[in-house]
């Protein structure tokens, strides 16, 4: 069911796909290869007997580990990320956007709608806005409300500064907690623009973040000056069998047999030094 849904979604956007090809095999999973994009999507199914898989895919390919429950629970957000991965979202340069602080309700609403992990607490919240005079760059006019003077197209949230000792020197560090584009857009250079805005305003010594290893190896962050420090251990979750909602801890008064245990691929800890 999930395999068919994802395959139909990709082919509906003119992508040629290969399912479970000889050079892409993961036991107990289905693999979808979009070779022209050098992309492999590994579908992990919910199972009471699930074990960590050995990934065997071409090294030059980007690998996305997509869980059955994530596809079902956050379907629209996953689709938008897949569209971005195959270059089919609306792409806009960051230079046509404006950056400024946003309040908590605005950040919460945007992240809960466009980010897989919702909106955790954050000290600093910044948004990228597309002004009305650049609406002409968006061919699909259904994405635009002409009654508004701007569209919020990306959000980044950050922690309060913390002091760490890195290589025996004191460092004032800020964590990038979440960054995401609007589901319909990919803002080229958007994250870098938001990082530079924070650096100018707060003047940290470095910015640290965790990159979800289910979706990325951190290559995009490396291009922004981040260095991979370590890979964290996988995190275990309990997934409700009917709602597909994930929990770090079982909710009170819930039957254990209503849940299936899964774990993600961990995260890449990455740091960008501010010069």
């Amino acid at each position: 069911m999930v395999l068919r849904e994802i395959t139909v979604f990709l082919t509906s956007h003119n992508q040629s796909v290969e399912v479970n090809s000889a050079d892409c095999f993961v036991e107990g999973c289905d693999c979808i290869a979009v070779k022209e994009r050098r992309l492999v999507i590994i579908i992990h199914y919910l199972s009471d007997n699930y074990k960590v898989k050995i990934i065997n895919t071409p090294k030059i390919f980007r690998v996305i580990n997509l869980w059955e429950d994530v596809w079902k629970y956050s379907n629209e957000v996953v689709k938008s990320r897949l569209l971005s991965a195959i270059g089919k979202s609306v792409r806009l340069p960051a230079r046509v956007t404006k950056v400024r602080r946003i309040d908590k309700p605005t950040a919460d609403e945007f992240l809960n709608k466009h980010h897989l992990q919702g909106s955790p607490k954050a000290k600093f919240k910044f948004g990228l806005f597309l002004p009305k005079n650049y609406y002409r760059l968006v061919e699909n006019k259904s994405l635009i409300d002409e009654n508004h003077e701007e569209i919020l197209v990306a959000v980044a949230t950050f922690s309060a500064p913390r002091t760490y000792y890195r290589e025996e020197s004191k460092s004032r560090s800020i964590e990038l907690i979440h960054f995401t584009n609007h589901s319909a857009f990919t803002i080229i250079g958007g994250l870098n623009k938001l990082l530079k805005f924070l650096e100018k305003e707060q003047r940290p010594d470095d910015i640290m973040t965790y990159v979800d290893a289910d979706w990325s190896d951190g290559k995009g962050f490396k291009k922004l000056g981040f260095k991979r420090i370590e890979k964290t251990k996988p995190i275990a979750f309990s997934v409700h069998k009917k709602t597909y909602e994930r929990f770090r801890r079982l909710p009170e008064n819930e039957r254990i047999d209503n849940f299936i245990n899964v774990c993600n691929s961990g995260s890449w800890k990455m740091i960008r030094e501010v010069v």
Side-chain angles (χ1 to χ4, degrees):
M1 182 69 171
V2 175
L3 174 64
R4 181 180 180 279
E5 290 174 354
I6 297 174
T7 301
V8 168
F9 174 73
L10 292 171
T11 55
S12 71
H13 287 88
N14 302 315
Q15 302 300 296
S16 298
V17 303
E18 293 186 23
V19 177
N20 298 326
S21 59
D23 55 353
C24 176
F25 175 76
V26 180
E27 184 179 358
C29 300
D30 280 318
C31 296
I32 302 175
V34 187
K35 291 191 173 180
E36 61 184 313
R37 302 291 181 178
R38 293 188 176 181
L39 173 69
V40 172
I41 303 166
I42 302 173
I43 305 173
H44 297 259
Y45 296 102
L46 298 178
S47 170
D48 289 316
N49 300 315
Y50 183 82
K51 296 180 181 180
V52 176
K53 308 299 185 184
I54 297 175
I55 307 299
N56 179 28
T57 59
K59 291 184 178 180
I60 62 172
F61 278 45
R62 174 185 174 182
V63 176
I64 293 175
N65 289 282
L66 181 53
W67 280 86
E68 177 184 6
D69 62 293
V70 176
W71 171 256
K72 291 180 179 295
Y73 188 77
S74 303
N75 188 259
E76 292 304 314
V77 177
V78 172
K79 285 180 177 179
S80 74
R81 296 193 68 170
L82 293 180
L83 286 177
S84 179
I86 62 176
K88 293 294 183 177
S89 57
V90 179
R91 299 168 74 84
L92 298 171
R95 60 179 173 77
V96 304
T97 65
K98 295 182 178 179
V99 56
R100 67 171 183 268
R101 282 205 186 203
I102 57 177
D103 58 22
K104 185 177 187 300
T106 301
D108 287 346
E109 180 182 4
F110 189 91
L111 290 171
N112 285 328
K113 185 175 182 179
H114 300 293
H115 198 284
L116 286 174
Q117 298 171 8
S119 182
K121 292 181 180 179
K123 175 67 174 179
F124 306 114
K125 297 162 279 288
F126 302 112
L128 282 181
F129 294 84
L130 180 70
K132 191 172 185 178
N133 58 308
Y134 285 110
Y135 286 2
R136 57 186 167 80
L137 299 178
V138 183
E139 293 183 8
N140 184 355
K141 300 307 178 186
S142 66
L143 300 174
I144 299 170
D145 186 346
E146 295 285 353
N147 295 318
H148 290 84
E149 293 301 312
E150 59 187 6
I151 304 171
L152 181 58
V153 291
V155 164
T157 61
F158 300 86
S159 71
R162 301 182 179 93
T163 299
Y164 295 95
Y165 285 90
R166 305 195 195 282
E167 297 181 356
E168 299 182 356
S169 62
K170 187 184 293 187
S171 179
R172 184 173 181 268
S173 181
I174 291 178
E175 179 183 350
L176 167 62
I177 299 173
H178 275 345
F179 166 75
T180 192
N181 292 296
H182 184 290
S183 296
F185 298 93
T186 297
I187 309 303
I188 309 302
L191 177 55
N192 195 43
K193 186 168 185 173
L194 288 161
L195 290 171
K196 288 183 176 179
F197 188 87
L198 173 89
E199 291 168 357
K200 183 177 180 180
E201 181 184 281
Q202 296 299 320
R203 299 188 180 280
D205 296 312
D206 65 58
I207 297 175
M208 183 273 291
T209 194
Y210 292 98
V211 178
D212 185 351
D214 272 341
W215 284 86
S216 174
D217 62 359
K219 184 180 296 185
F221 282 80
K222 286 183 180 180
K223 294 179 180 179
L224 297 177
F226 283 86
K227 296 180 181 179
R228 286 201 318 202
I229 304 302
E230 63 179 348
K231 188 175 183 183
T232 65
K233 294 181 179 180
I235 298 174
F237 296 92
S238 295
V239 178
H240 196 282
K241 293 179 180 179
K242 290 185 178 180
T243 67
Y244 300 107
E245 188 173 2
R246 286 191 173 194
F247 298 89
R248 290 290 298 276
R249 295 181 180 178
L250 281 179
E252 293 184 7
N253 303 319
E254 283 279 4
R255 292 168 54 92
I256 295 178
D257 55 5
N258 287 335
F259 293 84
I260 289 178
N261 294 325
V262 302
C263 64
N264 65 11
S265 301
S267 298
W268 293 105
K269 182 179 180 180
M270 307 190 74
I271 293 179
R272 161 168 154 156
E273 295 182 358
V274 179
V275 179

